[in-house]
């Protein structure tokens, strides 16, 4: 494409997206670009000759009245066809606009367009690989391109044209090595989108520019260079007074008395020696994150670095991408931060380069091109930076890091390996940011020889995550599958095998036989143990639970110990084979590195050996919990562990899994986690119940005398919020069917009579499905956007849809009770359909309740009720997020009023919030009065 090329940037509005001949065009707009400038525009409304669907009118703002006097497409088809001749067609999602236009041309007797085309969606995905969305409205906001009327073709075409010019400029600035890789695979892109990169490569080759200082060429890739700064001695005193804090905050933050109190308490803990632990309940809106990070950085200057752990990798990245940049502007000194996650979160550079030489699907190839550009930007190699809602592309299985043991020291990418780099940063960082799961598995290494302090944010989740992370699973069928695969590789008659390795003198015959022998032991004896376990513990339950999706049974430790004693020989032979195979695999890897450095292996051999080593590591991974069969270990865990067997009932080849899981954190978190650190600070928005903090201290394995600081919130609940408790709802336990019908009617009525952004919380996906189906059949679905967890997309997608939506309704359960920030008009009405009691019949809950009862406790009062109170407190916290918020919460479970324990649940509501006990027929009046007044 030459500088004289004319680009026709096109956008159309239609009555629908189906191309079965039933839809028509409403608007056609085109912006012409020549010599990197907008030179002309063309826009016309079009009469479709059919009614415009309501949802299209809502989206575009184009009504039947707007197009009544507009020309039919047949009247202007010649003009549009001639305008597009000798141009390059550009569109945002070209597959739709180009194809729809061609369908219309054919319908009117014109030939299809045969001009070249470029897709700005794919260009954006490659050039801007870390964006969370590639919708045109989002990209317009990102580049500050004025978007007069989103979903109007003329406005969309103009924004697309501006975006296209910016993207072309960015393409031309890519390094030559990056352009070479993209150019290799340009045929995988839509239409002639790849030609943009081919043109840029021609221009770049004519120049002799060196890479900028922040980039370096490593092997086939271009990576972000590590810029080291020599830090001067830092001597800064913590700001004790209000005046000092206000000076520190400057224009970035306002001084808040409760946040200041939190900072002082946190700093005092981190630098003194007497107190070891502190719990701080910091309500929403207080600024708790800065409330502990600022004192942590001042403590680091004094030689007391900290590890900060939060509940999820998403929250971890929020700290890095949002909070740390703000701190760099506020703090009067430089500081270093390391982010630690499990190795599988990072890209393996060597494996990624190898994947470029393998056949890939077009979506995988596009993902590779995005990654090639992303590698010029990332300092961490953390795959979550790509903001993909799901990592389902098979490419990720190939390029994910498998841990330090999988790294080849001879690789040209060794010194740039992201996992090794994160370990090096850990040693010198002022602040280490991690997540609860990583902390629970790496506490010893994180504490280090020079003891650090530990700050646990979202501490209310730490106990439950500890229980989950200590769940050890042995998947018997997966062990069999992997060992079968390795044996096929060893003895294949049709493709590369160990025979070829012997012929190339890489392995001797005896070495090959030893490796195969150990795998055969595992391959033969694991299925035998599987069947014996199934016959002993699952046969009876299989007959009784034919309708359940999973057959899961708890196995008493004493009975499991008896089983192990009976079959000790089988267990021990597998354990010995695993240990021997681990040694042989290490030798294989060492020899591979030696042969490779001497260039004694051809490409096929290298690929085969690497694949075999990967498969071997997978086998060791699925066998890592085999030690759980040891009798001494079973004695130690007998009182705190639930052992269970699980198998799907409706899958022919369902995997049998043996699980070992803690059901209480006592005597675990303190000796194995907290003891590795100098101090531990627990922070969360929901740590204390009205009667005190004993329940959470028990969950966190803390002594009763641990100091607790409960900070006051800053919201005016009396004027910002209203709680409505519905007294006449059917009893959910006694009349489940009546309750479901009631929910449908009341929710439909609520949604039909107000247009506030609404989130409806449930306790199960099954109930969400029932209510979603009910609402979809009601008229309200024509007026409101209904989004449902488990139905309309992934959690990340539906949160994004809800945030961007107008007049939207979100049906959610599980994680939607917590950790979602929807301020101001993004959430104004919260409906709780059922009190959040946990199901009592899970294996873990049954074990917890049995233990409580054996100790003479009431399991409902000591476990079930406190859990529900904390969950309800978290759910209520979704409603008011800023001082400008206003909102109503409605509880449609009458037990909060009718049962004796309802008093306890009502105490969880913010003290100042007006709470009214009403009947269903009164809901609309109260909503009207609240919003009007």
């Amino acid at each position: 494409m030459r500088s004289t090329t004319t680009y026709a940037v096109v956008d159309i509005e239609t009555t629908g997206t189906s191309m079965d001949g039933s839809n028509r065009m409403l608007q056609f707009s085109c912006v012409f670009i020549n010599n990197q400038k907008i030179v002309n525009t063309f826009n016309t409304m079009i009469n479709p000759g059919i009614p415009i669907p309501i949802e299209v009118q809502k989206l575009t703002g184009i009504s039947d009245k707007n197009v009544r006097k507009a020309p039919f497409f047949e009247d202007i088809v010649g003009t549009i066809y001639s305008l597009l001749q000798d141009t390059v067609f550009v569109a945002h999602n070209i597959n739709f606009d180009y194809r729809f236009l061609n369908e219309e041309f054919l319908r009117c007797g014109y030939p299809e367009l045969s001009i070249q085309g470029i897709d700005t969606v794919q260009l954006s995905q490659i050039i801007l690989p870390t964006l969370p969305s590639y919708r045109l409205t989002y990209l317009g906001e990102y580049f500050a391109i004025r978007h007069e009327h989103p979903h109007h073709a003329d406005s969309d075409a103009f924004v697309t044209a501006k975006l296209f010019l910016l993207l072309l400029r960015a393409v031309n600035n890519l390094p030559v090595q990056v352009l070479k890789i993209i150019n290799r695979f340009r045929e995988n892109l839509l239409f002639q989108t790849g030609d943009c990169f081919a043109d840029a490569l021609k221009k770049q080759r004519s120049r002799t520019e060196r890479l900028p200082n922040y980039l370096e060429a490593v092997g086939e890739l271009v990576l972000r260079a590590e810029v080291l700064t020599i830090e001067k001695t830092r001597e800064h005193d913590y700001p004790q007074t209000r005046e000092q804090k206000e000076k520190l905050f400057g224009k970035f933050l306002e001084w808040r008395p409760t946040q200041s109190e939190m900072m002082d308490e946190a700093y005092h803990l981190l630098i003194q020696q007497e107190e070891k632990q502190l719990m701080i309940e910091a309500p929403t809106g207080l600024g708790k994150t800065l409330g502990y990070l600022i004192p942590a950085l001042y403590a680091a200057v004094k030689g007391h670095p900290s590890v900060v752990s939060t509940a999820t990798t998403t929250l971890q990245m929020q700290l890095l991408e949002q909070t740390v940049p703000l701190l760099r502007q506020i703090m009067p000194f430089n500081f270093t931060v390391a982010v630690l996650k499990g190795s599988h979160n990072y890209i393996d550079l060597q494996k990624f380069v190898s994947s470029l030489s393998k056949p890939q699907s077009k979506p995988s190839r596009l993902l590779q091109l995005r990654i090639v550009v992303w590698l010029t930007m990332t300092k961490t190699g953390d795959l979550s930076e790509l903001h993909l809602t799901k990592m389902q592309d098979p490419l990720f299985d190939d390029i994910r890091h498998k841990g330090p043991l999988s790294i080849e020291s001879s690789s040209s990418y060794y010194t740039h390996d992201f996992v090794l780099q994160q370990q090096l940063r850990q040693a010198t960082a002022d602040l280490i940011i991690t997540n609860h799961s990583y902390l629970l598995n790496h506490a010893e290494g994180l504490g280090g020889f020079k003891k650090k302090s530990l700050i646990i944010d979202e501490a209310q989740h730490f106990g439950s995550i500890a229980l989950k992370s200590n769940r050890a699973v042995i998947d018997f069928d997966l062990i069999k599958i992997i060992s079968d695969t390795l044996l096929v590789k060893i003895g294949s008659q049709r493709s590369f095998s160990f025979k070829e390795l012997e012929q190339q003198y890489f392995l001797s015959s005896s070495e090959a036989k030893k490796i195969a022998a150990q795998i055969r032991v595992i391959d033969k004896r694991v299925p035998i143990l599987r069947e014996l376990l199934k016959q002993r513990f699952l046969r009876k339950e299989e007959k009784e639970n034919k309708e359940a999706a999973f057959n899961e049974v708890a196995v008493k430790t004493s009975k499991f110990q008896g089983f192990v004693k009976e079959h000790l020989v089988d267990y021990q032979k597998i354990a010995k084979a695993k240990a021997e195979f681990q040694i042989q695999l290490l030798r294989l890897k060492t020899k591979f590195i030696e042969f490779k450095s001497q260039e004694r292996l051809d490409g096929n051999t290298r690929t085969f050996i690497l694949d075999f080593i990967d498969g071997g590591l997978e086998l060791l991974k699925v066998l890592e919990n085999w030690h759980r069969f040891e009798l001494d270990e079973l004695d130690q865990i007998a009182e705190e562990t639930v052992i269970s067997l699980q198998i799907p009932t409706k899958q022919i080849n369902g995997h049998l899994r043996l699980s070992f899981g803690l059901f209480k954190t006592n005597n675990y978190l303190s000796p194995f986690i907290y003891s590795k650190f100098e101090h531990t600070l627990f922070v969360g928005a929901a740590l204390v119940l009205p009667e005190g903090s004993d329940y959470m201290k028990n969950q966190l394995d803390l002594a009763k005398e641990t100091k607790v600081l409960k900070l006051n919130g800053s919201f005016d609940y009396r004027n910002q919020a209203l709680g409505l408790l519905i007294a006449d709802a059917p009893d959910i336990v006694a009349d489940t069917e009546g309750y479901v019908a009631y929910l449908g009617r009341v929710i439909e009525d609520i949604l039909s009579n107000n247009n506030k952004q609404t989130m409806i919380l449930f306790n199960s996906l099954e109930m969400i499905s029932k209510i979603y189906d009910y609402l979809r059949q009601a008229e309200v679905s024509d007026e409101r956007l209904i989004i449902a967890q488990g139905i309309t997309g992934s959690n990340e997608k539906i949160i994004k849809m809800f945030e961007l939506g107008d007049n939207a309704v979100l049906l959610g359960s599980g994680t939607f009770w917590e950790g979602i920030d929807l301020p101001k008009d993004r959430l104004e009405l919260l409906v709780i359909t059922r009190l959040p009691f946990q199901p009592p019949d899970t294996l873990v809950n049954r074990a917890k309740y049995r233990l409580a009862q054996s100790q003479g406790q009431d399991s409902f009062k000591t476990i079930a009720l406190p859990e529900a109170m904390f969950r309800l407190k978290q759910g209520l916290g979704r409603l008011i997020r800023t001082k400008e918020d206003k909102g109503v919460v409605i509880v449609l479970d009458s037990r909060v009023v009718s049962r004796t324990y309802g008093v306890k649940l009502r105490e969880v509501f913010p003290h100042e919030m007006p709470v009214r006990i009403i009947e269903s027929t009164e809901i609309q009046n109260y909503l009207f009065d609240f919003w009007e007044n």
Side-chain angles (χ1 to χ4, degrees):
M1 297 176 193
R2 303 175 301 279
S3 60
T4 56
T5 300
T6 298
Y7 298 96
V9 184
V10 173
D11 192 84
I12 60 175
E13 303 300 338
T14 65
T15 59
T17 56
S18 175
M19 298 190 197
D20 58 3
S22 63
N23 288 304
R24 295 288 180 267
M25 214 178 300
L26 301 173
Q27 187 182 14
F28 172 89
S29 293
C30 185
V31 176
F32 295 96
I33 294 175
N34 190 274
N35 203 21
Q36 300 181 15
K37 291 179 183 176
I38 293 174
V39 294
N40 206 348
T41 62
F42 176 85
N43 175 57
T44 180
M45 302 302 291
I46 298 169
N47 189 333
I50 58 174
I52 302 173
I54 295 295
E55 59 268 23
V56 175
Q57 292 188 44
K58 283 183 184 177
L59 180 69
T60 63
I62 301 172
S63 66
D64 293 319
K65 184 180 177 181
N66 297 139
V67 296
R68 192 172 296 144
K69 295 181 180 180
F72 291 97
F73 187 74
E74 292 87 339
D75 299 328
I76 54 170
V77 61
T79 303
I80 293 174
Y81 194 83
S82 62
L83 280 171
L84 295 175
Q85 296 307 305
D86 301 320
T87 66
V88 175
F89 192 101
V90 180
H92 202 69
N93 186 13
I94 192 171
N95 268 341
F96 176 73
D97 297 79
Y98 197 98
R99 285 177 58 208
F100 199 101
L101 263 173
N102 268 338
E103 290 294 325
E104 286 292 86
F105 286 140
L106 287 172
R107 184 176 66 83
C108 295
Y110 279 74
E112 289 185 337
L113 289 174
S114 57
I115 58 176
Q116 293 185 327
I118 295 171
D119 183 45
T120 52
V121 173
Q122 284 195 339
L123 272 184
S124 301
Q125 289 172 329
I126 295 170
I127 296 300
L128 305 162
T130 61
L131 293 191
S133 172
Y134 296 95
R135 294 174 65 206
L136 189 60
T137 48
Y138 182 85
L139 290 166
E141 289 172 12
Y142 181 81
F143 283 112
I145 303 170
R146 193 171 176 185
H147 205 167
E148 295 285 355
H149 300 290
H151 303 296
H152 263 229
D154 51 344
S155 182
D156 286 354
F158 177 78
V159 173
T160 305
K162 288 280 191 181
L163 171 67
F164 178 57
L165 289 171
L166 289 167
L167 293 172
L168 282 184
R169 204 170 302 151
V171 169
N172 287 321
N173 288 327
L174 289 174
V176 170
Q177 277 181 261
V178 171
L179 288 169
K180 284 180 179 177
I181 294 174
I182 298 174
N183 198 44
R184 265 170 62 191
F185 305 112
R186 71 177 191 272
E187 297 303 321
N188 289 271
L189 300 179
L190 293 172
F191 290 78
Q192 286 70 44
T193 304
D195 288 357
C196 297
F197 300 95
D199 292 343
L201 182 59
K202 287 176 188 173
K203 292 175 189 173
Q204 289 276 40
R205 278 175 170 158
S206 64
R207 306 178 200 154
T208 54
E209 291 180 12
R210 285 169 40 183
L211 286 172
N213 292 335
Y214 59 85
L215 294 176
E216 62 177 314
V218 181
E220 294 181 38
L221 304 172
V222 176
L223 305 177
R224 193 86 177 184
E226 186 75 24
V227 181
L228 297 174
T229 55
I230 299 171
E231 193 63 57
K232 296 178 182 177
T233 304
R234 301 172 300 175
E235 293 184 7
H236 292 272
D237 292 325
Y238 174 75
Q240 300 281 357
T241 67
R242 173 175 177 170
E243 183 182 1
Q244 290 170 334
K245 287 185 178 75
E246 286 180 332
K247 183 179 178 183
L248 173 71
F249 294 163
K251 63 182 180 181
F252 299 106
L253 297 172
E254 62 173 321
W255 181 83
R256 304 174 192 172
T258 46
Q259 185 186 54
S260 178
E261 182 184 0
M262 179 181 176
M263 287 171 59
D264 293 345
E265 290 283 350
Y267 183 71
H268 174 73
L269 175 78
L270 297 175
I271 62 166
Q272 52 76 56
Q273 295 300 319
E274 293 78 27
E275 292 180 8
K276 292 294 181 183
Q277 294 167 337
L278 171 65
M279 274 176 63
I280 300 179
E281 179 174 275
T284 304
L286 180 139
K288 71 176 172 69
T289 308
L290 293 175
Y292 64 73
L293 284 178
I294 290 174
L297 288 171
Y298 275 103
V301 169
K302 301 292 184 186
H304 301 274
S306 291
V307 173
V308 175
S309 179
T310 192
T312 64
T313 54
T314 302
L315 291 172
Q316 195 180 347
M317 293 310 292
Q318 282 180 12
L319 282 178
L320 180 67
E321 294 173 356
Q322 298 173 21
T323 311
V324 169
L326 177 60
L327 282 167
R328 294 204 185 281
Q329 293 179 291
I330 294 171
M331 302 304 287
F333 51 83
N334 289 327
F335 57 88
T336 54
V337 177
V339 178
L340 299 187
K341 297 181 180 180
S343 297
H344 67 279
N345 290 285
Y346 298 89
I347 189 171
D348 184 314
L349 293 172
Q350 181 64 63
K351 288 180 179 174
F352 174 68
V353 170
S354 298
S355 77
L356 292 172
S357 303
K358 297 177 182 178
Q360 304 286 352
S361 66
K362 287 189 176 183
S364 294
R365 197 65 83 191
L366 173 62
L367 185 54
Q368 286 179 320
L369 302 188
R370 292 178 64 184
I371 290 171
V372 167
V373 176
W374 168 64
L375 288 172
T376 67
M377 305 172 179
T378 183
K379 296 179 181 178
T380 67
D382 185 344
L383 290 163
S384 69
E385 291 177 10
L386 293 168
H387 285 119
L388 299 170
T389 52
K390 288 188 178 180
M391 298 278 184
Q392 289 184 330
D393 194 291
L395 176 69
F396 286 113
D397 293 334
D398 278 349
I399 67 173
R400 279 187 191 281
H401 213 292
K402 298 289 198 303
L405 291 176
S406 69
I407 305 167
E408 291 180 52
S409 58
S410 60
S411 168
S412 55
Y413 303 100
Y414 180 78
T415 56
H416 293 79
D417 183 83
F418 289 114
V419 170
L420 289 182
Q421 284 184 356
Q422 77 160 356
Q423 292 177 345
L424 291 173
R425 290 191 193 101
Q426 176 184 342
T428 58
D430 296 313
L431 204 63
I432 295 172
I433 300 174
T434 188
N435 58 75
H436 295 347
S437 294
Y438 188 91
L439 167 65
L440 288 159
N441 289 295
H442 301 85
E444 186 90 47
L446 285 169
F449 298 109
K450 178 185 177 183
K451 278 201 172 180
K452 302 176 180 70
S453 292
L454 173 63
I455 300 171
I456 300 179
D457 196 358
E458 301 291 328
Q460 66 268 22
H461 301 300
F462 193 59
S464 60
I465 291 174
L467 297 181
K468 287 177 186 174
S469 79
N470 268 278
R471 186 177 169 90
V473 178
I474 298 173
D475 186 328
F476 292 89
D477 295 275
L478 187 57
I479 295 169
K480 171 68 174 170
I481 289 167
I482 295 172
S483 55
D484 277 348
T485 304
L486 290 173
L487 288 172
V488 168
K489 283 183 181 293
I490 288 172
S492 175
Q493 300 297 317
R494 296 184 178 181
S495 58
F496 207 100
S497 66
F498 269 27
K499 188 177 180 182
E500 279 74 19
L501 296 185
E502 292 176 37
Q503 289 171 355
Q504 295 187 36
Y505 303 104
F506 179 78
L507 279 180
S508 67
S509 176
S510 62
E511 287 172 328
K513 286 176 182 175
K514 281 180 184 176
I515 293 172
Q518 305 311 326
I519 299 173
R520 283 196 188 98
V521 170
I522 296 166
D523 189 65
K524 179 182 176 183
R525 292 188 176 268
V526 166
I528 293 172
L529 273 181
R530 176 196 189 278
E531 284 307 305
L532 291 168
L533 274 167
K534 189 177 176 184
Q535 288 171 13
R536 175 73 62 88
F537 299 110
L538 276 176
R539 285 292 181 217
K540 181 182 175 184
E541 282 72 14
E542 274 186 339
K543 294 174 184 175
E544 294 175 357
N545 299 322
K546 286 183 179 179
E547 297 305 313
F550 282 92
N551 186 10
E552 185 171 28
V553 61
V555 179
K556 285 186 178 179
T557 307
S558 58
K559 289 188 176 181
F560 187 73
Q561 286 173 311
F563 174 85
V564 172
K565 287 174 184 176
E566 288 176 38
H567 304 286
L568 196 60
V569 173
D570 285 306
Y571 154 71
Q572 289 177 338
K573 285 191 175 180
I574 293 167
K576 184 180 178 183
K578 178 204 164 194
E580 286 291 328
F581 177 66
Q582 191 163 5
I583 293 167
Q584 290 160 356
L585 196 67
L586 184 61
R587 287 176 183 158
L588 193 71
K589 186 176 179 183
T590 304
K591 187 178 281 191
F592 172 74
I593 293 168
E594 178 190 336
F595 271 55
K596 187 183 174 188
S597 65
Q598 296 170 2
E599 298 184 352
R600 293 169 64 183
L601 303 172
D602 60 31
N604 288 337
T605 308
R606 284 200 305 271
T607 300
F608 175 82
I609 296 170
L610 282 173
D611 284 346
F612 186 85
I613 290 172
D614 279 348
L617 291 171
E618 280 185 47
L619 182 59
L620 293 174
K621 178 76 176 170
V622 296
L623 283 166
E624 67 180 348
N625 293 314
W626 199 254
H627 62 88
R628 296 283 184 160
F629 280 97
E630 291 179 12
L631 291 170
D632 289 345
E633 185 165 333
L634 287 170
D635 282 335
Q636 292 172 16
I637 66 172
E639 292 183 7
E640 292 144 358
T641 301
V642 175
I643 302 175
S644 64
L645 276 171
Q646 183 192 73
I647 192 167
T649 56
K650 298 182 180 179
Q651 293 178 18
I652 296 173
N653 298 313
H655 288 209
L656 180 71
R657 293 180 176 90
L658 176 66
S659 298
F660 303 80
L662 285 176
F663 63 88
K664 62 190 184 80
T665 56
N666 307 78
N667 306 318
Y668 167 65
L669 292 178
S670 284
F672 292 103
I673 308 299
Y674 309 149
S675 66
K676 312 302 177 188
F677 298 90
E678 196 171 15
H679 310 98
T680 308
L681 172 64
F682 304 87
V683 181
L687 299 179
V688 181
L689 291 175
E691 59 263 34
S693 56
D694 286 354
Y695 176 80
M696 188 54 69
K697 286 177 181 175
N698 183 53
Q699 295 300 298
L700 293 172
D701 195 18
L702 297 176
K704 284 196 173 183
E705 58 270 19
T706 303
K707 183 179 174 182
V708 179
L709 174 65
K710 188 178 187 305
L711 298 168
N712 295 320
S714 58
F715 299 145
D716 179 10
Y717 282 104
R718 189 174 302 280
N719 293 305
Q720 286 186 257
L722 172 67
L724 300 177
L725 312 182
I726 312 305
D728 63 338
D731 189 299
I732 192 167
V733 178
D735 185 11
T736 305
E737 283 189 23
Y739 177 72
V740 173
Y742 165 81
L743 270 188
R745 289 195 308 272
V746 172
I747 290 172
E748 180 187 5
D749 191 48
I750 291 170
L751 298 180
S752 299
N753 288 284
N754 84 88
N755 60 355
K756 304 297 180 183
Q757 285 272 114
T758 303
M759 181 158 71
I760 306 175
L761 293 175
F762 296 80
N763 279 11
S764 72
L765 293 176
E766 182 185 2
M767 187 64 81
I768 287 178
S769 179
K770 289 178 180 178
I771 300 303
Y772 178 78
D773 289 343
Y774 181 96
L775 295 176
R776 289 294 295 170
Q777 294 170 21
E779 289 183 10
V780 70
S781 63
D782 294 330
E783 302 161 4
R784 307 286 300 264
L785 172 63
I786 313 288
I787 308 165
Q789 182 184 3
I791 298 172
T792 54
S794 65
N795 286 3
E796 295 85 353
K797 181 181 177 182
I798 64 178
I799 290 170
K800 201 180 294 180
M801 288 168 67
F802 189 66
E803 287 175 331
L804 297 172
D806 185 26
N807 198 20
V809 181
L810 193 159
L811 282 57
S813 69
T815 55
F816 288 89
W817 283 81
E818 56 194 291
I820 298 171
D821 192 20
L822 298 164
K824 300 181 182 176
D825 65 353
R826 293 302 81 203
L827 177 61
E828 296 175 292
L829 180 57
L830 178 69
V831 180
I832 294 174
T833 59
R834 183 172 184 170
L835 294 172
F837 287 103
Q838 297 297 307
D841 55 352
T842 66
L843 293 176
V844 170
N845 282 342
R846 289 208 305 262
K848 283 159 60 177
Y849 295 163
R850 274 200 306 269
L851 180 64
Q853 288 158 6
S854 70
Q855 295 172 347
Q857 298 173 349
D858 183 327
S859 59
F860 180 79
K861 290 181 179 178
T862 58
I863 300 174
L865 184 57
E867 282 180 348
M869 291 170 74
F870 271 115
R871 190 72 157 168
L872 182 59
K873 188 172 183 177
Q874 290 166 348
L876 295 172
R878 300 313 96 218
L879 187 62
I880 303 299
R881 310 294 293 177
T882 74
K883 290 181 179 179
E884 291 76 40
D885 287 14
K886 284 188 180 296
V888 180
V889 57
I890 304 172
V891 180
L892 296 177
D893 188 338
S894 60
R895 291 178 297 172
V896 75
V897 177
S898 62
R899 300 296 174 92
T900 53
Y901 58 76
V903 175
K904 291 285 186 186
L905 290 161
R906 296 200 295 272
E907 288 175 358
V908 170
F909 283 75
H911 180 65
E912 306 83 3
M913 182 192 287
V915 178
R916 306 283 180 259
I917 297 174
I918 66 171
E919 296 197 348
S920 308
T921 54
E922 300 178 88
I923 293 174
Q924 298 307 333
N925 289 337
Y926 274 92
L927 291 177
F928 181 81
D929 288 345
F930 178 81
W931 297 117
E932 288 301 308
N933 296 326

